[in-house]
Amino acid sequence: MAINPFRAPSMSSFFDNIRSTRLRAIFRRGELALVVLAIFVGIAAGFFVALIGAITTKLHVMFFGVERLSSSDLSGWIVLAGPLTGGVILGIVIFVLSKTRKKPMIDPIEANALHGGRLSLTDSMIVCLQNIISNGFGASVGLEAGYTQVASGVASKLGVNLKLRRGDMRILVGCGAAGAIAAAFNAPLTGAFYAIELIIGTYTVVTLAPLIVSALVATIVAGLMSQHGLSIDILGSSVVTPPDYVPAIFLGAVCAGIGIVLMQAVSFIEETARKSKIPIWLRPSIGGIVVGALALISPQVLSSGHGALHLNIDADMTIAGLAGLFILKAAASAISIGSSFRGGLFFASLFMGSLLGKIFAVCAPYIGYGDTQPIVYAVIGMSAFAAAIIGGPLTMTFLALELTGDFQITVLVLAAVMTTSLVVRTTFGYSFATWRFHLRGESIRSAHDIGWIRDLTVGKMMRADIRKEPVSIGLATFKEKFPLGSTQRVIMTHDDGRYAGMIIVAEIYADPMERDSTKISLETYLRFKTDVLLPTMNARQAAALFDATESEALAVVNDKIENRPIGQLTESHTLRRYSEELDIRRREASGEI
């Protein structure tokens, strides 16, 4: 079915129609309403997957003259010119964005972890456009990042307009990602568990229904509009015996080690590019030249690698040929991502994993495991390596099941991906996405919601109606203004309004007062002179400061420079609010709300 990208439905008119209070109330009533919303999100996800796929295929045909770059026999100037052209175009886009958009664009994982599922639809469209340019001109990146970004952006926009609760927003964003991956691979279970493991971060009974519905609907819509998906045919059936787990587990460990090296290679290239002071808009052009040069050796490094995977999965190749192709693809992918091409490593990791599996299959007879079909090891390696890079062991297990339809092989895949996941988490601790967050200074190890802690700030919890006086008023005047029992604490300031300290009223009246009160300075009773809270601190930071100072209450100042008191916060109120929010998150995770 031909797809016209200029006939997409108007998003603004659609969202304008759902702004009524009555309609918002209907969609905030419970699980069934969330399932209904998941249907709409699934339709959008399926539509955009088909649309993006059609656009990139059209670019491949227009520029290269073929539909599947990585399985073509292209050579000569065209394979060098393609990535370079894409780098130039993308550099122009990046240059314009650097002048017009200052805020960083976030992805669905970051949106769900830190921002309660809030994701800019405009930014998502921009990311999708960059992904199309990158993949369409041959850069070694996949389209899955664009799929999930735009589908999750639509879902988030829908949730914002309906004013959904934080937990429902996160589920709806997960529905967008689930639909996108399901439609891309014709694999509903893979899409659903991708959302559970990578986008939402937890599994509950409440989340499962909308995710499955969105994945199924997106798969149907994409199937009606275009032929998407991947399948692997296994000849005959296999019976798994206990000894078969040994090579699968070993292969999983190998994939984990190589995956960690690849993730660090991408980071090294990005860091090198930053230290070189090459303008960010120029980096894609340089990266395009290098990728094009690698494509002169083998065009299979171009684009995401769908065609190359089909071409090599059954091919009879030597270890040298497989290893050489793996190194070329790994280098092309790392350089593409490191030089600011936009995209992901989802499908590239599947392709590279299949090569690792076939290398292992060639070596298997030498260690006593020569009876297994090489394609079986290719599937195991494909899933294990993707689990190392992307994360989500169950996601990759279900992908193997849906691609092959062979439960026996899936059992071996499960053993391999669990080994991979365990090795990566214990030795490295990050997937590709969360590792890049770590390099930016974000403490995100998954999409599990930690943003609520940052939202629970001192500025939101403090009392602004504070009692404050200048230190210069003297003890006698202070006692006249604040008799015993009138208040517990008074915040004292210098004459210029800067914070001086806090006085506990009871301590003044507990003093024997044998000295002349007119000669006693209030500064004698000042406490916590330098221990103050800032309104931007979160509840966890405030609780840590209370514990360090052993205080029951602290003053809140506007900033460290002006140091003017604007409020007061007690330890008991902080802990109570923190416990309340923690209980809400627990109830959401357990499916109670």
Side-chain angles (χ1 to χ4, degrees), residues 336-365:
S336 295
I337 299 294
S339 60
S340 300
F341 278 104
R342 181 70 76 163
L345 292 177
F346 194 119
F347 202 92
S349 64
L350 294 176
F351 175 40
M352 288 186 282
S354 70
L355 295 175
L356 288 176
K358 294 201 70 173
I359 293 172
F360 186 84
V362 176
C363 299

Side-chain angles (χ1 to χ4, degrees), residues 90-426:
L90 185 61
I92 294 172
V93 173
I94 292 174
F95 180 80
V96 173
L97 291 176
S98 68
K99 302 297 182 182
T100 57
R101 304 186 75 84
K102 301 301 180 182
K103 291 183 178 181
M105 291 179 280
I106 63 175
D107 70 1
I109 296 176
E110 187 177 0
N112 264 8
L114 298 178
H115 306 291
R118 291 182 174 269
L119 190 64
S120 168
L121 181 57
T122 301
D123 286 353
S124 296
M125 292 292 188
I126 293 173
V127 169
C128 183
L129 174 63
Q130 291 176 309
N131 195 186
I132 290 172
I133 294 171
S134 301
N135 183 280
F137 286 93
S140 190
V141 295
L143 289 170
E144 292 77 20
Y147 295 155
T148 55
Q149 184 79 34
V150 71
S152 298
V154 171
S156 180
K157 182 70 173 178
L158 180 62
V160 167
N161 280 274
L162 291 173
K163 296 184 178 180
L164 296 184
R165 302 173 183 86
R166 184 185 186 96
D168 292 342
M169 282 283 295
R170 296 180 75 252
I171 293 174
L172 206 59
V173 169
C175 289
I181 295 299
F185 291 94
N186 191 28
L189 287 175
T190 300
F193 276 87
Y194 176 90
I196 289 171
E197 293 187 300
L198 301 174
I199 306 299
I200 299 176
T202 56
Y203 165 80
T204 67
V205 176
V206 175
T207 61
L208 186 60
L211 293 177
I212 291 292
V213 167
S214 177
L216 288 171
V217 170
T219 303
I220 294 171
V221 171
L224 292 174
M225 298 181 68
S226 63
Q227 294 298 321
H228 268 78
L230 174 68
S231 63
I232 298 175
D233 296 325
I234 307 293
L235 298 177
S237 58
S238 303
V239 177
V240 175
T241 59
D244 294 326
Y245 287 98
V246 177
I249 292 172
F250 180 74
L251 180 55
V254 171
C255 288
I258 297 175
I260 292 171
V261 172
L262 179 61
M263 287 186 279
Q264 291 181 321
V266 174
S267 302
F268 174 76
I269 293 172
E270 289 180 321
E271 183 65 21
T272 301
R274 280 193 295 268
K275 290 181 178 179
S276 68
K277 297 183 180 180
I278 299 174
I280 189 171
W281 54 268
L282 186 58
R283 296 173 195 170
S285 300
I286 298 174
I289 294 174
V290 179
V291 172
L294 294 174
L296 289 174
I297 302 173
S298 173
Q300 294 187 39
V301 305
L302 294 173
S303 193
S304 57
H306 282 76
L309 178 62
H310 283 287
L311 187 66
N312 290 284
I313 197 75
D314 291 317
D316 187 13
M317 298 178 64
T318 64
I319 291 180
L322 292 167
L325 183 56
F326 176 86
I327 293 172
L328 288 174
K329 182 63 177 178
S333 297
I335 291 167
S336 295
I337 299 294
S339 60
S340 300
F341 278 104
R342 181 70 76 163
L345 292 177
F346 194 119
F347 202 92
S349 64
L350 294 176
F351 175 40
M352 288 186 282
S354 70
L355 295 175
L356 288 176
K358 294 201 70 173
I359 293 172
F360 186 84
V362 176
C363 299
Y366 299 102
I367 57 175
Y369 290 95
D371 296 334
T372 304
Q373 297 181 54
I375 193 172
V376 173
Y377 284 125
V379 172
I380 295 172
M382 177 181 71
S383 303
F385 194 71
I389 301 296
I390 307 301
L394 289 179
T395 301
M396 300 310 164
T397 302
F398 279 109
L399 179 61
L401 177 61
E402 291 181 296
L403 293 184
T404 64
D406 192 312
F407 181 78
Q408 294 291 325
I409 292 176
T410 304
V411 175
L412 294 178
V413 168
L414 182 60
V417 298
M418 287 304 174
T419 302
T420 300
S421 180
L422 179 62
V423 172
V424 170
R425 289 190 65 84
T426 55

